[in-house]
Amino acid sequence: MNSPASTAVGPTRSVALAGAFNFRDLGGYDAIDGRSVRWRALFRSDSLAQLTVDDVDALRPLGLRTVIDLRGAGEVDAVGSFPVADYPVTLHHLSVMDREWDPAAADLGTSGEFLHAQYTTMLDETGSRYADAIRRLSLPGALPAVFHCAAGKDRTGLLAMLVLGALGVSDRDIVDDYALTAATMDAFLAARSADPTFADRIAALPATFFAADPSALARVVDDIAAAHGSIRSYVLSLGVTADDLASLEAGALTD
């Protein structure tokens, strides 16, 4: 993780919304073959089920075509999903986590150690589903697209790592992008804690669950490099094809 972070100038990375707190652009990062990630092509976010009417209007200029919801069926049933009726998109529900985290494990070690263990388990158990998400993003006409989970940190963070890594973005930039989530967590927690739909659930979980510790993702990136040589190679090992990545590059990268 020695390469410098990208400094490409472009649109504001964060998109300010009232019903979501971590909606941001993945554009501007240096990528494969001297290209860069196209602005306004790929976005990551926390839950999009609480978007207001004004939020939907604010998102319209982005021209979203695809939304990938990484939450489980129970989460979707409980609070809903992206308002397709108001903003027509292709919506994919792809749950990428089969087991809830054990609160007792959060007290064992640092937040970075805890999250590293959880992320490793998630990739081991559902890596093929992350690959499915990447294939959906690579479909012709799929972009602009946003992918999200509940907080936009863990499931979304892993998919962002895999997508950016597959596009040749440096390990440093991938970890730095993950770290940006830390700045949004206070607002996210304050809003969700004040909402009766989420308040009890939020209060019952340890603070470690809401940490955005970049050391955790950095360790995952290092693990992947040690085992596969690069994130791109790892993504290919999950079943994403070279043609899939070429299609993703065509839509997501610019010279």
Side-chain angles (χ1 to χ4, degrees):
M1 300 203 3
N2 296 319
S3 55
S6 297
T7 56
V9 176
T12 301
R13 189 170 299 286
S14 294
V15 179
L17 302 169
F21 305 90
N22 198 17
F23 194 110
R24 63 180 190 265
D25 199 324
L26 291 172
Y29 293 120
D30 293 338
I32 196 169
D33 297 334
R35 291 176 285 174
S36 62
V37 181
R38 189 185 305 276
W39 289 99
R40 299 306 189 241
L42 287 166
F43 300 88
R44 57 178 291 172
S45 184
D46 52 324
S47 175
L48 299 176
Q50 288 77 41
L51 294 178
T52 67
V53 172
D54 287 344
D55 288 341
V56 173
D57 287 341
L59 292 179
R60 290 189 196 283
L62 300 182
L64 295 173
R65 296 179 179 178
T66 303
V67 175
I68 297 181
D69 187 340
L70 304 174
R71 297 173 302 155
E75 294 172 279
V76 175
D77 290 343
V79 300
S81 57
F82 186 85
V84 176
D86 299 319
Y87 191 150
V89 297
T90 299
L91 175 61
H92 302 287
H93 286 118
L94 298 174
S95 175
V96 293
M97 193 168 75
D98 289 339
R99 293 183 289 127
E100 292 190 356
W101 294 352
D102 179 5
D107 295 328
L108 304 176
T110 66
S111 61
E113 291 168 339
F114 170 75
L115 292 172
H116 170 251
Q118 304 310 312
Y119 294 168
T120 299
T121 297
M122 290 163 66
L123 290 175
D124 286 346
E125 294 182 347
T126 61
S128 62
R129 291 180 224 166
Y130 283 98
D132 191 14
I134 295 172
R135 283 191 289 268
R136 305 291 178 99
L137 293 171
S138 73
L139 293 173
L143 305 183
V146 58
F147 50 89
H148 74 90
C149 54
K153 179 174 75 74
D154 306 309
R155 291 167 285 188
T156 296
L158 289 180
L159 182 54
M161 173 195 73
L162 296 176
V163 170
L164 293 176
L167 293 172
V169 173
S170 73
D171 295 350
R172 169 73 176 276
D173 282 347
I174 290 169
V175 174
D176 284 352
D177 181 84
Y178 170 91
L180 294 175
T181 296
T184 70
M185 288 308 296
D186 285 347
F188 170 85
L189 287 172
R192 297 296 181 252
S193 296
D195 185 333
T197 304
F198 303 97
D200 290 345
R201 172 70 172 164
I202 294 292
L205 296 176
T208 303
F209 277 32
F210 302 103
D213 190 330
S215 71
L217 196 73
R219 288 183 63 185
V220 173
V221 169
D222 287 344
D223 292 344
I224 290 173
H228 299 274
S230 69
I231 295 173
R232 186 181 177 91
S233 294
Y234 173 63
V235 167
L236 290 168
S237 79
L238 293 175
V240 177
T241 68
D243 286 344
D244 292 331
L245 293 187
S247 180
L248 182 62
E249 291 168 17
L253 298 185
T254 185
D255 294 333

